[in-house]
Amino acid sequence: MSTISTKLHDVEATIRTAAEGAGRAPGSVRLLAVSKTFGADAVLEAMQAGQRAFGENYLQEALDKIAAVAQAAPGEAVEWHFIGPIQSNKTRPIATHFAWVHSVDRLKVAQRLSEQRLPELGPLNICLQVNVSGEASKSGIAEAELPELARQVATLRNLRLRGLMAIPEPESDPVKQREPFARMRGLLERLRADGLELDTLSMGMSADLQAAVAEGATIVRIGSAIFGARHYDKGNA
Ligand SMILES: *Cc1c(COP(=O)(O)O)cnc(C)c1O
């Protein structure tokens, strides 16, 4: 059985190979290790292998884990990213305990995050989640409404709008996997042409990592390829 450290280094190698194959600098793609449903011990093991950025979907689980990791590894710089659905009455702990939020898809949530972010923490990094799979998905802003939302979020004081995030419907054909990612690249380019200073495409998971990197992903969010299969029977989901 391979360890978290082995699998982490395998994923890093896959990212490097995919980046090189696309003519991109290997350092242009960051790995976000998605630790949802896994305990603080798994995060600490990944940290020992050099990983510092972790993604979480479920707020209470994340807050417990963040506290446990801080206690077990005091003084270690760990960067926490919130990547799950956001309830607008639960924005304060997200604004307080995370460095990035990838899953913003409405103005009200962005406004609350900005109001609740303590200025001394520095701006909260934001990606807007885009619904690239149309009716198949409930999360994410529609492509047609994206430019207006981006323009508004970019003005919020304690946020820094970095780019876009998407979770396309699962697709096994590697060629077809690239279609929604290519569309995301086009959406980002259009927002930049409109004057927004964006540098992030958060896209690609364990099953479509190469396709996402080929289309310009700058953050890939990888869970099961690092930590193994998830079990949702412990009150996590
Ligand atoms: C769970 C999750 C991931 C990781 O998925 P894997 O297929 O395990 O790599 C990435 N992004 C989001 C938003 C997720 O919820």
Short mmCIF file of all heavy atoms in Angstrom, two decimals, residues 34 36 57 83 165 167 205-206 221-224 230, ligand 1:
data_model
loop_
_atom_site.label_atom_id
_atom_site.label_comp_id
_atom_site.label_asym_id
_atom_site.label_seq_id
_atom_site.Cartn_x
_atom_site.Cartn_y
_atom_site.Cartn_z
N VAL A 34 -6.79 18.09 -1.37
CA VAL A 34 -8.15 18.15 -0.82
C VAL A 34 -8.31 17.08 0.25
O VAL A 34 -8.37 15.88 -0.04
CB VAL A 34 -9.19 17.98 -1.94
CG1 VAL A 34 -10.60 17.96 -1.36
CG2 VAL A 34 -9.06 19.12 -2.96
N LYS A 36 -10.73 16.74 2.63
CA LYS A 36 -12.06 16.52 3.21
C LYS A 36 -12.27 15.04 3.53
O LYS A 36 -11.82 14.18 2.76
CB LYS A 36 -13.15 16.99 2.24
CG LYS A 36 -13.20 16.19 0.96
CD LYS A 36 -14.29 16.70 0.02
CE LYS A 36 -14.27 15.91 -1.26
NZ LYS A 36 -14.73 16.69 -2.40
N ASN A 57 -14.18 21.11 2.22
CA ASN A 57 -15.54 21.36 1.74
C ASN A 57 -16.57 21.61 2.83
O ASN A 57 -17.58 22.24 2.57
CB ASN A 57 -16.08 20.16 0.97
CG ASN A 57 -15.44 19.98 -0.37
OD1 ASN A 57 -14.22 19.84 -0.44
ND2 ASN A 57 -16.24 20.00 -1.43
N ILE A 83 -13.47 25.14 -0.42
CA ILE A 83 -13.86 24.81 -1.81
C ILE A 83 -15.28 24.25 -1.89
O ILE A 83 -15.70 23.81 -2.95
CB ILE A 83 -12.87 23.81 -2.44
CG1 ILE A 83 -12.85 22.48 -1.68
CG2 ILE A 83 -11.46 24.38 -2.48
CD1 ILE A 83 -12.01 21.40 -2.36
N MET A 165 -13.23 29.14 -10.84
CA MET A 165 -13.18 27.73 -10.45
C MET A 165 -14.34 27.00 -11.11
O MET A 165 -15.40 27.58 -11.33
CB MET A 165 -13.30 27.64 -8.93
CG MET A 165 -13.27 26.23 -8.36
SD MET A 165 -14.88 25.42 -8.29
CE MET A 165 -14.89 24.83 -6.60
N ILE A 167 -16.22 22.80 -11.53
CA ILE A 167 -16.27 21.34 -11.32
C ILE A 167 -17.12 20.77 -12.46
O ILE A 167 -18.34 20.64 -12.31
CB ILE A 167 -16.95 20.98 -9.98
CG1 ILE A 167 -16.40 21.82 -8.83
CG2 ILE A 167 -16.81 19.48 -9.69
CD1 ILE A 167 -17.16 21.63 -7.51
N MET A 205 -9.34 17.75 -11.08
CA MET A 205 -9.39 16.91 -9.90
C MET A 205 -8.65 15.61 -10.23
O MET A 205 -7.99 15.52 -11.26
CB MET A 205 -10.85 16.67 -9.48
CG MET A 205 -11.61 17.98 -9.50
SD MET A 205 -13.23 18.16 -8.70
CE MET A 205 -13.87 16.56 -8.48
N SER A 206 -8.75 14.61 -9.36
CA SER A 206 -7.93 13.41 -9.58
C SER A 206 -8.15 12.80 -10.96
O SER A 206 -7.20 12.31 -11.59
CB SER A 206 -8.24 12.36 -8.50
OG SER A 206 -7.85 12.85 -7.23
N ARG A 221 -7.07 20.73 -7.81
CA ARG A 221 -7.59 20.33 -6.49
C ARG A 221 -7.69 18.81 -6.45
O ARG A 221 -8.57 18.23 -7.05
CB ARG A 221 -8.98 20.96 -6.27
CG ARG A 221 -9.06 22.47 -6.52
CD ARG A 221 -10.50 22.97 -6.31
NE ARG A 221 -11.45 22.16 -7.04
CZ ARG A 221 -11.90 22.42 -8.27
NH1 ARG A 221 -11.49 23.49 -8.91
NH2 ARG A 221 -12.77 21.61 -8.84
N ILE A 222 -6.73 18.19 -5.74
CA ILE A 222 -6.61 16.74 -5.81
C ILE A 222 -6.83 16.11 -4.44
O ILE A 222 -6.12 16.42 -3.49
CB ILE A 222 -5.20 16.35 -6.33
CG1 ILE A 222 -4.86 17.09 -7.62
CG2 ILE A 222 -5.11 14.84 -6.52
CD1 ILE A 222 -5.76 16.80 -8.80
N GLY A 223 -7.82 15.22 -4.38
CA GLY A 223 -8.12 14.54 -3.13
C GLY A 223 -7.75 13.07 -3.16
O GLY A 223 -6.72 12.65 -2.62
N SER A 224 -8.59 12.26 -3.81
CA SER A 224 -8.45 10.80 -3.70
C SER A 224 -7.11 10.29 -4.23
O SER A 224 -6.59 9.29 -3.72
CB SER A 224 -9.63 10.11 -4.38
OG SER A 224 -9.87 10.65 -5.64
N ARG A 230 -12.64 8.17 -0.42
CA ARG A 230 -13.32 8.81 0.72
C ARG A 230 -14.48 7.96 1.22
O ARG A 230 -15.15 7.30 0.45
CB ARG A 230 -13.85 10.18 0.30
CG ARG A 230 -12.80 11.26 0.23
CD ARG A 230 -13.42 12.60 -0.12
NE ARG A 230 -13.94 12.64 -1.46
CZ ARG A 230 -13.23 12.95 -2.54
NH1 ARG A 230 -11.96 13.24 -2.43
NH2 ARG A 230 -13.79 12.96 -3.73
C1 LIG B 1 -13.71 16.58 -3.39
C2 LIG B 1 -13.33 17.71 -4.27
C3 LIG B 1 -12.14 17.70 -5.01
C4 LIG B 1 -11.19 16.51 -5.04
O1 LIG B 1 -11.74 15.47 -5.77
P1 LIG B 1 -10.90 14.14 -6.13
O2 LIG B 1 -11.66 13.55 -7.24
O3 LIG B 1 -10.88 13.31 -4.90
O4 LIG B 1 -9.53 14.58 -6.53
C5 LIG B 1 -11.82 18.82 -5.75
N1 LIG B 1 -12.63 19.90 -5.79
C6 LIG B 1 -13.78 19.96 -5.10
C7 LIG B 1 -14.63 21.17 -5.18
C8 LIG B 1 -14.18 18.85 -4.34
O5 LIG B 1 -15.34 18.92 -3.68
#
